[in-house]
Amino acid sequence: MSGPGPASAPAGLPDWISWRKQQGTIQVANDDKIGPPLTELDINTTTGGFYNGFSVAVTVPAKIIISVIVVWAIFWPIQSGAILNGLNSLILQNFAAWYIWVVAFFIVICLGLALWPAAARLNLGLEGEGPEFTRFSWFSMMFGAGIGVGMLTWAVAEPVTHFESNPETIMGLTTAGGADNVAMAFKWSFLHWGFSAWACYAICGLSLAYFSYRRGLPLTIRSGLTPLFGQRLAGPLGHVIDIVAVVATILGVARTLGFGVDQLVAGLTRIGFSGLIDADGGATTMGIIVALAVIMGLSTLSALSGVGRGIKWLSNLNMGLSIVLLGFLMIFGATWFGLNAMATGLWHYVINLPQMSVNVFRSDGIEGSQDFLLAQWQGWWPVFYWAWWIAFAPFVGLFLARISRGRTVREFVLGALIVPALMCFVWFSWAGGTAIDLELNGGANGVIFDAANGDKIFAMTEFMLAPVATWLSWSMAVLIVVLLLTFLVTSADSAVLIVNTINAAGDEGPKAQPHVLFWGVALAMVVAGLLISGGTTAIQTAMVIGALPFSAVMALMAVALVKAIFNDTRRERAGVPSTHDKIDGATPANPPSGLGTPAE
């Protein structure tokens, strides 16, 4: 801002406050010497040409990295698989504790912000601005993009798996496959899909919404670090952060789509398509190609229509279908068993959450020992999940920010942390509970337990309905396939839009079709390449590796967010504006010069 400065600025006070005080608009206390926040971050974008509106310094390197991963995985599958597995072992050995503790840190920050009165009432937008979407659409989009597709696979598969093995069974405290192990199966399932997962999303989404819609900064990952690095984020440091976010997003979504492809192929086989699975029950190359062609074709069409149309419509559809399927399981499944599983599992989860969130199992290096098995289990489950949620966080977080403008900090945190987690608890209790009850008491005799993870929900519904009428079983399989497709398409098209938003320096406007098509094809090729080179294990390994650098970025985002909110409460006391409209538009035509560097 330019113009004549105040005649005589009070000694020791920022020029902004000196001038405002002279106007008689504020009273400044000695402990509130603070200026306005940073509201501009000038990221260079290209004008004209193929990359019009994009940051070439982010877009091109991100495309190169993803292309190298695709070519490497497809043309050198054995070598890439071996190297990925080696890196995965190295990370699990040296960074397992980091993953456990950083996610616990995210939970603490989220709860603190929700309970902090001064922070909780702040608007993620301009003062008085209301939300764009209804709560139903907000929850639907949040749930569908955040966890939906993985939940369809694991709502049955994970409780069943933990019913057979978990830390309590390894330590001999409960019986594997016994009735005394039911609560533990759900306790660990709730840990992986509950508050910890959504804390990762909430930190990223809250940071982006706060700095983009309240401060007017670009809707991109680097904006969340402005309280720590300021204008330096407009240069190479910011470019690196956004590149890391794009790569993590692609790998995180690829992991989700990898699960989805396996399950979609299983579902298509159940409803009559042949030649898509091999003798071991895995997807054939043809099955992978068919599934990805369907998913990415539909998702690209949806992405081209934008958030307000295609994604919103699909999210509402999959929420409606989810309610139908869940209602079926609650009424015709193990109703009381599921209710009891939820109550006991939730009780054990809540009272043990602090301990489970920070406990790190240390291996003694003796293969087959209890310590070795516990550390191995933690690497397979919590560490993998925390890496998955962190890799998924730039995508889900930016998407949550996009659909949450105008909500308060408390509303965002509680809405993002609690409501979707409760939906997951309900799903796991009745879907997984029905599967366990059918095996324990319903005569399933391994039909469900022995099925592949992606096929377990189909095996369960077929066992329930086939004796009544074959067409009912087939119809339910069709419903699940459609529901799965809506979850997959919502995740994929949202990811394409988010990646292009980051590449375009936070510009939310429509993107040129070639860029939408490129990232749609790139995402499909990453999934196909890694599935071919090593199945879902290869995708899982690549995702754990890609999540590590972004976990450090997220930790800094959490610190920066707390710092920004604390300073905004100081500004509120001092009468200094903290939203970009009041800073940029509510001053006289010729405000004072020499305001200095905006403070955080």
Side-chain angles (χ1 to χ4, degrees):
M1 290 188 281
S2 60
S8 58
L13 294 179
D15 290 341
W16 170 272
I17 298 179
S18 304
W19 175 71
R20 292 294 301 272
K21 187 176 180 181
Q22 286 181 355
Q23 305 305 305
T25 57
I26 62 172
Q27 297 295 323
V28 183
N30 288 333
D31 63 344
D32 278 317
K33 300 173 183 177
I34 188 169
L38 180 69
T39 58
E40 292 183 8
L41 194 62
D42 188 16
I43 304 171
N44 288 332
T45 54
T46 302
T47 302
F50 181 72
Y51 285 103
N52 181 40
F54 284 84
S55 171
V56 174
V58 175
T59 308
V60 173
K63 287 183 175 181
I64 291 173
I65 292 171
I66 294 300
S67 298
V68 167
I69 292 174
V70 170
V71 172
W72 184 46
I74 291 177
F75 290 99
W76 292 277
I78 297 175
Q79 180 195 54
S80 61
I83 292 176
L84 285 174
N85 286 333
L87 288 172
N88 185 57
S89 299
L90 184 67
I91 288 175
L92 292 180
Q93 182 178 354
N94 295 284
F95 292 97
W98 163 256
Y99 275 121
I100 296 296
W101 292 336
V102 78
V103 172
F105 172 64
F106 296 154
I107 296 176
V108 171
I109 294 296
C110 286
L111 294 178
L113 292 176
L115 296 173
W116 183 6
R121 66 172 179 267
L122 294 176
N123 194 318
L124 299 178
L126 307 181
E127 295 302 326
E129 184 176 2
E132 176 182 358
F133 300 102
T134 66
R135 278 201 173 95
F136 181 81
S137 291
W138 185 49
F139 290 142
S140 298
M141 287 189 284
M142 185 162 41
F143 183 69
I147 279 183
V149 61
M151 185 201 63
L152 261 188
T153 300
W154 293 107
V156 175
E158 186 158 343
V160 165
T161 303
H162 296 326
F163 183 60
E164 296 291 333
S165 176
N166 61 58
E168 279 75 19
T169 64
I170 294 172
M171 291 185 286
L173 301 177
T174 57
T175 306
D180 63 330
N181 198 37
V182 172
M184 297 303 101
F186 286 94
K187 179 186 80 170
W188 290 105
S189 298
F190 292 168
L191 172 69
H192 300 149
W193 294 81
F195 304 140
S196 301
W198 288 93
C200 296
Y201 301 157
I203 286 292
C204 202
L206 183 60
S207 175
L208 289 167
Y210 194 89
F211 291 108
S212 297
Y213 299 133
R214 188 174 177 85
R215 299 284 176 83
L217 296 171
L219 185 63
T220 186
I221 302 298
R222 72 178 80 184
S223 295
L225 299 179
T226 50
L228 302 180
F229 301 106
Q231 285 289 353
R232 282 175 288 176
L233 291 167
L237 176 62
H239 300 333
V240 170
I241 289 169
D242 280 349
I243 292 168
V244 167
V246 169
V247 173
T249 298
I250 293 296
L251 294 177
V253 176
R255 183 64 182 119
T256 299
L257 294 181
F259 280 136
V261 164
D262 271 359
Q263 190 167 32
L264 182 60
V265 167
L268 291 174
T269 301
R270 290 276 180 177
I271 61 178
F273 292 88
S274 59
L276 303 181
I277 60 173
D278 56 27
D280 297 325
T284 62
T285 301
M286 178 57 67
I288 293 171
I289 293 172
V290 169
L292 284 173
V294 173
I295 294 166
M296 299 314 301
L298 292 174
S299 67
T300 301
L301 290 174
S302 178
L304 290 171
S305 70
V307 175
R309 296 179 61 191
I311 297 176
K312 177 181 175 181
W313 184 84
L314 282 172
S315 297
N316 289 339
L317 174 62
N318 64 35
M319 180 61 85
L321 292 176
S322 296
I323 292 172
V324 171
L325 179 57
L326 181 61
F328 165 78
L329 293 174
M330 294 178 74
I331 296 172
F332 299 104
T335 306
W336 296 111
F337 189 94
L339 182 62
N340 183 66
M342 181 172 179
T344 57
L346 196 54
W347 167 256
H348 286 282
Y349 166 63
V350 171
I351 64 173
N352 288 290
L353 181 59
Q355 184 267 340
M356 290 191 298
S357 296
V358 299
N359 181 55
V360 178
F361 294 117
R362 305 285 185 180
S363 174
D364 57 9
I366 303 174
E367 189 169 350
S369 69
Q370 184 180 105
D371 289 342
F372 178 88
L373 293 175
L374 287 171
Q376 184 182 58
W377 187 93
Q378 189 169 53
W380 286 345
W381 292 98
V383 173
F384 153 65
Y385 270 122
W386 294 176
W388 188 8
W389 306 146
I390 288 169
F392 218 41
F395 151 57
V396 181
L398 206 151
F399 186 72
L400 288 183
R402 169 64 184 83
I403 64 175
S404 302
R405 180 170 184 165
R407 299 191 183 276
T408 65
V409 169
R410 175 175 289 160
E411 186 179 14
F412 179 94
V413 170
L414 295 181
L417 199 64
I418 295 176
V419 176
L422 288 176
M423 281 293 295
C424 286
F425 299 158
V426 171
W427 259 100
F428 273 67
S429 298
W430 269 273
T434 296
I436 292 174
D437 184 55
L438 288 174
E439 289 285 358
L440 281 178
N441 309 307
N445 294 322
V447 170
I448 303 169
F449 283 7
D450 294 342
N453 286 332
D455 195 37
K456 278 183 168 61
I457 191 169
F458 294 104
M460 180 181 72
T461 54
E462 181 174 316
F463 178 79
M464 295 170 65
L465 293 174
V468 179
T470 303
W471 69 268
L472 280 176
S473 173
W474 183 87
S475 299
M476 182 57 69
V478 170
L479 184 147
I480 295 173
V481 166
V482 173
L483 176 58
L484 179 63
L485 265 177
T486 61
F487 276 132
L488 288 168
V489 171
T490 301
S491 296
D493 62 7
S494 299
V496 170
L497 289 175
I498 293 317
V499 164
N500 275 314
T501 298
I502 297 173
N503 288 333
D507 179 16
E508 300 178 68
K511 304 298 185 297
Q513 290 187 6
H515 297 286
V516 175
L517 294 173
F518 173 86
W519 286 109
V521 172
L523 184 55
M525 293 299 289
V526 168
V527 176
L530 291 173
L531 282 176
I532 292 170
S533 69
T536 55
T537 301
I539 301 181
Q540 175 177 324
T541 301
M543 180 268 299
V544 170
I545 296 168
L548 185 58
F550 191 70
S551 67
V553 173
M554 280 186 60
L556 292 175
M557 290 174 74
V559 173
L561 181 62
V562 172
K563 179 182 179 182
I565 291 177
F566 172 73
N567 282 331
D568 274 357
T569 61
R570 293 177 61 199
R571 292 185 179 98
E572 194 174 71
R573 289 196 303 268
V576 177
S578 59
T579 56
H580 65 89
D581 63 320
K582 293 183 179 179
I583 295 170
D584 300 332
T587 57
N590 294 307
S593 60
L595 295 181
T597 302
E600 281 298 345

